[in-house]
Amino acid sequence: MTADDQKRISGEAAAQLVEAGMVVGLGTGSTAAWFVKALAARGLDIRGVPTSEATANLARELGMTLASLDDVKSIDLTVDGADEIGPGLSLIKGGGAALLREKLVWEASARCVVIADAAKHVKTLGRFPLPIEVVRFGHPHTGRRLADIAAEFDLPPPRLRTADRGVVVTDGGNVIYDMASGVIEDPAALAGALKSVTGVVDHGLFLDLADEALIGTDDGVVKLVP
Ligand code: 5RP
């Protein structure tokens, strides 16, 4: 089975968790897109709260009814992908630059389900560079403060994310610094240190947020709990 097939079966399994009448958080990325497609195919009367403009566009194309986070009191279930799933369902997210809206939607949700292909399940977080969302104003200064924090954790300085068109700007108008590490020994300590920096809006460590994971494997979908 290819990684994309594994993503597809995890997204399809998650779509089965949705019931009519629910408010559903719609994650971002290729795995979440499989979930959105499978959910739309069920034709249920639900409202989707998208975590990015890209997901909103996809959901609209599929005819889904959307609501903004501002318009709902709570979200029944959010389904989203991840870049890494580590011990206790600790996660690295933000590879698709949507981490801030994703975390806001996750934190407003009664239940959060992470979906992924098998390669995302790791023994320790850190192989995937940790995305950190930073306000644009003065970001080179914030970047230097992040480099100081990285040094305290024996990590190399984070790098400003760029793409073909230049510096990547998030849906919220911020930039992303990626902190490559290899191994994050103490995710909670790193999360706390990053949040203490003025200019850091948030980071891609999602700790104690996922209620379950549905991992697509060659043997089918495996459910994990923290
Ligand atoms: C976007 C995310 C994505 O969920 C994460 O990057 C996984 O993406 P994919 O499902 O395409 O592998 O956090 O900000």
Side-chain angles (χ1 to χ4, degrees):
M1 205 181 258
T2 65
D4 203 45
D5 285 330
Q6 293 179 347
K7 291 178 183 193
R8 177 178 50 75
I9 61 171
S10 65
E12 288 170 352
Q16 293 305 316
L17 302 175
V18 179
E19 293 168 17
M22 278 185 168
V23 176
V24 183
L26 308 174
T28 293
S30 56
T31 319
W34 282 118
F35 165 71
V36 173
K37 286 177 200 160
L39 180 56
R42 292 192 62 201
L44 295 173
D45 181 18
I46 58 113
R47 283 185 297 158
V49 178
T51 53
S52 64
E53 297 302 324
T55 295
N57 290 338
L58 173 66
R60 257 188 232 108
E61 276 168 26
L62 295 168
M64 208 175 264
T65 304
L66 295 183
S68 109
L69 187 54
D70 304 5
D71 300 331
V72 297
K73 281 215 177 85
S74 63
I75 295 172
D76 297 296
L77 167 69
T78 285
V79 177
D80 198 354
D83 299 299
E84 281 188 348
I85 303 174
L89 301 190
S90 55
L91 309 176
I92 289 183
K93 285 186 51 57
L99 69 95
L100 177 59
R101 290 190 186 186
E102 288 171 339
K103 202 177 273 187
L104 287 165
V105 168
W106 280 56
E107 287 182 351
S109 301
R111 182 181 178 195
C112 297
V113 176
V114 59
I115 52 175
D117 56 290
K120 303 280 182 62
H121 189 207
V122 297
K123 286 208 173 82
T124 43
L125 296 178
R127 193 180 52 190
F128 190 92
L130 175 65
I132 305 160
E133 186 156 347
V134 169
V135 292
R136 247 191 295 187
F137 180 80
H139 75 79
H141 295 273
T142 307
R144 283 192 280 278
R145 293 197 61 199
L146 290 176
D148 292 342
I149 288 180
E152 282 168 29
F153 284 80
D154 284 328
L155 304 175
R159 301 174 74 144
L160 181 63
R161 191 182 297 182
T162 57
D164 296 345
R165 287 193 213 146
V167 174
V168 170
V169 176
T170 69
D171 285 346
N174 303 310
V175 297
I176 299 273
Y177 280 79
D178 291 304
M179 187 181 267
S181 60
V183 176
I184 299 175
E185 302 280 1
D186 188 344
L190 181 59
L194 293 174
K195 280 291 265 191
S196 75
V197 177
T198 307
V200 168
V201 185
D202 218 315
H203 52 73
L205 284 166
F206 282 46
L207 308 177
D208 301 319
L209 283 175
D211 295 297
E212 69 190 81
L214 296 174
I215 314 262
T217 76
D218 289 349
D219 300 321
V221 177
V222 174
K223 176 177 163 175
L224 302 176
V225 290

